[in-house]
Amino acid sequence: MLSLKGVVAGYGGGDVLQGVDLEIERGSVTCIVGPNGAGKSTVLRAVSGLLSPRLGEIALEGKRIDGRAPAQILKLGISQVPQSNAIFPNITVKENVLMGAYLVRRDRAFLKRRYAELEQSFPVLTERGSDKAGNLSGGQRRMVEFARSLMMEPKVVLLDEPSLGLDPKALKMVHESVKRMIARGRTILLVEQNVRFGLRLADHGIVMESGRVLLDGKADDVLNNPEMAALYFGGSVKEPSPQPPPVRA
């Protein structure tokens, strides 16, 4: 569904991603974890078009999308939920959600149909639709952000630390919402600092450090890898030591 090959990208101070290779399967939940500064959120920004790679390729269903504008990438089927504070507090919940389809804002029939569909998955849209979004709880705000990201019926949804700042009840809401997205055929790529939450939600796990992919495999295997302890207790993932040659008699 989504692939990155040799992606090098960064900001004014230099490259953050140092040749990232990823393959995201259709219908999967892939979670990227790693310490602060590893480049996790930069991967999402490169995929969504907010950051143009200096080198490498990014492809959606085999077609290159690197170098395209964010609006073009959204139309192709990739949407992103930013890390936090991504709602407009002074407009209503419904207006916030409809902003997710701003590119087709003149298609009133589509907007009406799509909003009604999302109300079935996110009750807060019905219960608080006319309220100012700034009056919602943290978990409710995250549901509004999720709903907005789904307005254009994307194929791939990028979630940047969806658990950030949420209590256990809200985390359960996030978990259930991601499962509903998958049931409806979405592919999810998420970044998480809450390692256990992210990898238990995912079926595929990726560990990054210093702009590179260090571990890549089934989420359970990544979570239980002993190298994870080194990475999350101040160390770093080390390459396996070469085995000495067998001693011949």
Side-chain angles (χ1 to χ4, degrees):
M1 171 60 78
L2 180 68
S3 66
L4 288 77
K5 296 180 180 179
V7 172
V8 176
Y11 309 96
D15 295 323
V16 176
L17 304 182
Q18 305 285 339
V20 170
D21 296 307
L22 294 178
E23 291 285 343
I24 311 301
E25 298 295 329
R26 185 186 304 274
S28 67
V29 181
T30 299
C31 179
I32 305 176
V33 299
N36 289 332
K40 306 182 299 297
S41 294
T42 304
V43 169
L44 301 189
R45 291 176 65 84
V47 171
S48 64
L50 296 173
L51 179 67
S52 295
R54 189 169 65 81
L55 297 170
E57 300 180 2
I58 303 174
L60 176 67
E61 297 180 313
K63 298 180 180 179
R64 288 186 63 173
I65 61 172
D66 51 281
R68 291 178 179 262
Q72 293 176 311
I73 292 175
L74 177 59
K75 283 184 176 180
L76 290 172
I78 298 178
S79 68
Q80 180 171 355
V81 178
Q83 190 175 103
S84 62
N85 299 320
I87 64 166
F88 299 97
N90 295 320
I91 61 176
T92 67
V93 166
K94 184 173 184 178
E95 289 167 337
N96 265 276
V97 174
L98 293 179
M99 287 292 287
Y102 185 79
L103 297 178
V104 293
R105 58 193 179 277
R106 293 183 177 85
D107 189 343
R108 295 184 179 276
F110 172 80
L111 298 182
K112 183 178 180 179
R113 173 184 66 81
R114 192 70 188 119
Y115 189 85
E117 291 172 350
L118 290 171
E119 284 183 304
Q120 304 305 309
S121 298
F122 301 97
V124 68
L125 304 190
T126 301
E127 298 165 0
R128 305 290 299 274
S130 60
D131 294 347
K132 293 289 181 66
N135 294 330
L136 300 181
S137 68
Q140 290 172 328
R141 291 182 184 209
R142 193 55 46 88
M143 294 303 99
V144 171
E145 293 166 0
F146 279 16
R148 184 176 59 200
S149 76
L150 296 173
M151 275 296 294
M152 292 282 285
E153 301 181 292
K155 303 169 186 175
V156 179
V157 180
L158 311 177
L159 304 177
D160 196 350
E161 298 196 30
S163 73
L164 186 66
L166 300 184
D167 60 28
K169 182 180 179 180
L171 287 179
K172 184 179 179 182
M173 293 167 61
V174 169
H175 187 279
E176 292 171 348
S177 296
V178 171
K179 292 301 183 183
R180 283 197 298 269
M181 291 183 200
I182 293 300
R184 287 167 172 75
R186 317 287 181 210
T187 299
I188 309 295
L189 175 59
L190 72 146
V191 159
E192 260 300 342
Q193 280 292 102
N194 186 335
V195 175
R196 292 189 181 278
F197 174 81
L199 291 177
R200 285 173 175 167
L201 179 59
D203 45 41
H204 194 86
I206 294 166
V207 181
M208 291 185 64
E209 187 183 28
S210 302
R212 294 182 172 86
V213 173
L214 298 177
L215 294 175
D216 186 347
K218 292 182 179 179
D220 288 342
D221 293 341
V222 171
L223 182 60
N224 296 318
N225 191 306
E227 293 178 329
M228 287 290 287
L231 183 62
Y232 279 92
F233 286 98
S236 62
V237 177
K238 297 179 175 60
E239 296 292 334
S241 301
Q243 297 298 313
V247 178
R248 296 184 177 178

